[in-house]
Protein backbone atom coordinates (compact mmCIF):
# COMPACT_ATOMS: atom_id res chain seq x y z
CA UNK A 1 0.00 0.00 0.00
CA UNK A 2 1.26 3.49 -0.84
CA UNK A 3 2.43 5.80 1.88
CA UNK A 4 -0.40 8.28 2.48
CA UNK A 5 2.10 11.15 2.55
CA UNK A 6 2.74 10.74 -1.21
CA UNK A 7 0.44 12.36 -3.76
CA UNK A 8 -0.19 11.26 -7.33
CA UNK A 9 2.51 13.66 -8.57
CA UNK A 10 5.18 12.01 -6.40
CA UNK A 11 5.10 14.71 -3.70
CA UNK A 12 7.83 14.31 -1.12
CA UNK A 13 7.14 13.86 2.57
CA UNK A 14 6.93 16.76 5.04
CA UNK A 15 10.72 16.63 5.66
CA UNK A 16 11.50 17.73 2.09
CA UNK A 17 13.05 21.04 1.19
CA UNK A 18 10.22 23.56 0.58
CA UNK A 19 12.35 25.47 -1.94
CA UNK A 20 12.85 22.32 -4.03
CA UNK A 21 9.17 21.45 -3.80
CA UNK A 22 8.25 24.95 -5.03
CA UNK A 23 10.64 24.54 -7.98
CA UNK A 24 9.19 21.11 -8.71
CA UNK A 25 5.71 22.60 -8.70
CA UNK A 26 6.85 25.32 -11.12
CA UNK A 27 8.25 22.68 -13.49
CA UNK A 28 4.99 20.73 -13.30
CA UNK A 29 2.90 23.84 -14.02
CA UNK A 30 5.10 24.83 -16.98
CA UNK A 31 5.06 21.27 -18.32
CA UNK A 32 1.28 21.13 -18.16
CA UNK A 33 1.05 24.56 -19.78
CA UNK A 34 3.13 23.28 -22.71
CA UNK A 35 1.36 19.91 -23.06
CA UNK A 36 -0.61 20.83 -26.20
CA UNK A 37 2.53 22.15 -27.88
CA UNK A 38 4.56 19.08 -26.93
CA UNK A 39 1.81 16.71 -28.10
CA UNK A 40 1.48 18.55 -31.41
CA UNK A 41 5.23 18.46 -32.00
CA UNK A 42 5.52 14.78 -31.05
CA UNK A 43 4.06 13.63 -34.37
CA UNK A 44 6.63 13.39 -37.20
CA UNK A 45 4.07 14.45 -39.82
CA UNK A 46 3.41 17.67 -37.92
CA UNK A 47 7.14 18.21 -37.59
CA UNK A 48 7.37 17.93 -41.39
CA UNK A 49 4.53 20.41 -41.81
CA UNK A 50 6.21 22.77 -39.38
CA UNK A 51 9.40 22.58 -41.45
CA UNK A 52 7.39 23.61 -44.52
CA UNK A 53 6.53 26.82 -42.71
CA UNK A 54 10.21 27.42 -42.06
CA UNK A 55 10.61 27.89 -45.83
CA UNK A 56 7.24 29.50 -46.66
CA UNK A 57 5.51 32.34 -44.83
CA UNK A 58 2.08 30.92 -45.55
CA UNK A 59 0.54 27.88 -47.21
CA UNK A 60 -2.97 26.70 -47.91
CA UNK A 61 -4.04 23.08 -47.46
CA UNK A 62 -3.52 22.26 -51.14
CA UNK A 63 0.03 23.60 -51.02
CA UNK A 64 0.82 21.48 -47.97
CA UNK A 65 -0.74 18.41 -49.64
CA UNK A 66 1.46 19.00 -52.72
CA UNK A 67 4.53 18.81 -50.49
CA UNK A 68 3.35 15.74 -48.60
CA UNK A 69 2.35 12.14 -49.26
CA UNK A 70 -0.78 12.47 -47.12
CA UNK A 71 -4.35 13.07 -48.18
CA UNK A 72 -6.07 16.41 -47.90
CA UNK A 73 -8.23 15.28 -44.93
CA UNK A 74 -5.12 14.04 -43.10
CA UNK A 75 -3.29 17.31 -43.71
CA UNK A 76 -6.35 19.28 -42.58
CA UNK A 77 -6.39 17.26 -39.37
CA UNK A 78 -2.70 17.90 -38.68
CA UNK A 79 -3.08 21.63 -39.40
CA UNK A 80 -6.03 21.71 -36.99
CA UNK A 81 -3.90 20.13 -34.23
CA UNK A 82 -1.09 22.63 -34.88
CA UNK A 83 -3.60 25.47 -34.78
CA UNK A 84 -5.20 24.26 -31.54
CA UNK A 85 -1.73 24.13 -29.97
CA UNK A 86 -1.11 27.72 -31.01
CA UNK A 87 1.73 26.81 -33.37
CA UNK A 88 0.02 28.00 -36.57
CA UNK A 89 -2.74 30.47 -37.29
CA UNK A 90 -5.17 30.57 -40.18
CA UNK A 91 -6.62 33.37 -42.25
CA UNK A 92 -9.35 33.08 -44.85
CA UNK A 93 -8.79 34.96 -48.10
CA UNK A 94 -11.60 34.64 -50.63
CA UNK A 95 -12.22 30.87 -50.80
CA UNK A 96 -8.82 29.75 -49.47
CA UNK A 97 -7.61 29.37 -45.90
CA UNK A 98 -3.95 30.19 -45.48
CA UNK A 99 -1.89 28.92 -42.57
CA UNK A 100 1.24 30.52 -41.18
CA UNK A 101 3.39 30.19 -38.09
CA UNK A 102 1.82 31.88 -35.09
CA UNK A 103 3.62 34.70 -33.40
CA UNK A 104 6.43 32.56 -32.11
CA UNK A 105 6.71 34.46 -28.85
CA UNK A 106 3.80 32.52 -27.38
CA UNK A 107 5.06 29.05 -28.29
CA UNK A 108 8.75 29.78 -27.85
CA UNK A 109 8.21 31.62 -24.56
CA UNK A 110 6.22 28.69 -23.13
CA UNK A 111 8.99 26.28 -24.08
CA UNK A 112 11.67 28.63 -22.72
CA UNK A 113 9.83 28.93 -19.39
CA UNK A 114 9.58 25.14 -19.20
CA UNK A 115 13.29 24.66 -19.95
CA UNK A 116 14.30 27.41 -17.52
CA UNK A 117 12.24 25.83 -14.73
CA UNK A 118 13.73 22.38 -15.44
CA UNK A 119 17.27 23.75 -15.50
CA UNK A 120 16.76 25.69 -12.27
CA UNK A 121 15.52 22.58 -10.48
CA UNK A 122 18.18 20.35 -12.03
CA UNK A 123 21.01 22.67 -10.96
CA UNK A 124 19.73 23.37 -7.45
CA UNK A 125 22.52 22.66 -4.93
CA UNK A 126 19.97 21.42 -2.38
CA UNK A 127 18.88 18.57 -4.65
CA UNK A 128 19.72 15.19 -3.09
CA UNK A 129 21.10 12.14 -4.85
CA UNK A 130 18.93 9.60 -3.03
CA UNK A 131 15.44 9.83 -1.53
CA UNK A 132 15.26 9.78 2.24
CA UNK A 133 14.22 6.47 3.71
Amino acid sequence: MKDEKHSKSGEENEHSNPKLLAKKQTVLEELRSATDILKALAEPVRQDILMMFMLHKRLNVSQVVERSELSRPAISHHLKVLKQAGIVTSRKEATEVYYSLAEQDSVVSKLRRLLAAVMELEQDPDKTHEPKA
Side-chain angles (χ1 to χ4, degrees):
M1 192 170 237
K2 274 190 171 178
D3 182 355
E4 291 184 21
K5 295 177 184 176
H6 290 270
S7 73
K8 290 180 182 176
S9 65
E11 197 64 43
E12 318 305 328
N13 65 34
E14 69 271 8
H15 301 294
S16 293
N17 182 325
K19 185 176 98 177
L20 283 175
L21 290 177
K23 287 181 180 182
K24 176 186 161 199
Q25 186 61 35
T26 299
V27 169
L28 187 59
E29 289 168 6
E30 294 297 343
L31 184 60
R32 290 195 173 142
S33 169
T35 297
D36 288 344
I37 295 168
L38 297 171
K39 281 182 182 178
L41 295 176
E43 170 62 47
V45 169
R46 291 192 282 272
Q47 294 167 11
D48 293 342
I49 293 171
L50 181 63
M51 291 300 108
M52 291 178 200
F53 288 107
M54 298 296 158
L55 301 175
H56 305 282
K57 288 187 178 193
R58 67 183 201 156
L59 296 165
N60 62 31
V61 176
S62 296
Q63 292 167 323
V64 176
V65 170
E66 288 171 9
R67 292 163 175 79
S68 172
E69 296 179 7
L70 296 178
S71 67
R72 185 179 181 93
I75 292 297
S76 292
H77 166 74
H78 289 295
L79 286 167
K80 178 182 175 185
V81 172
L82 290 169
K83 184 177 177 183
Q84 288 174 333
I87 297 170
V88 299
T89 59
S90 65
R91 185 170 141 188
K92 187 168 182 153
E93 292 182 19
T95 59
E96 287 293 334
V97 177
Y98 287 90
Y99 293 86
S100 58
L101 287 178
E103 291 293 322
Q104 287 301 297
D105 277 348
S106 61
V107 173
V108 172
S109 65
K110 274 187 182 181
L111 296 175
R112 279 187 180 144
R113 284 194 309 268
L114 172 59
L115 291 174
V118 168
M119 288 173 60
E120 186 175 339
L121 179 58
E122 181 62 29
Q123 296 169 358
D124 193 295
D126 292 335
K127 187 173 165 185
T128 61
H129 292 285
E130 304 267 338
K132 293 179 183 177

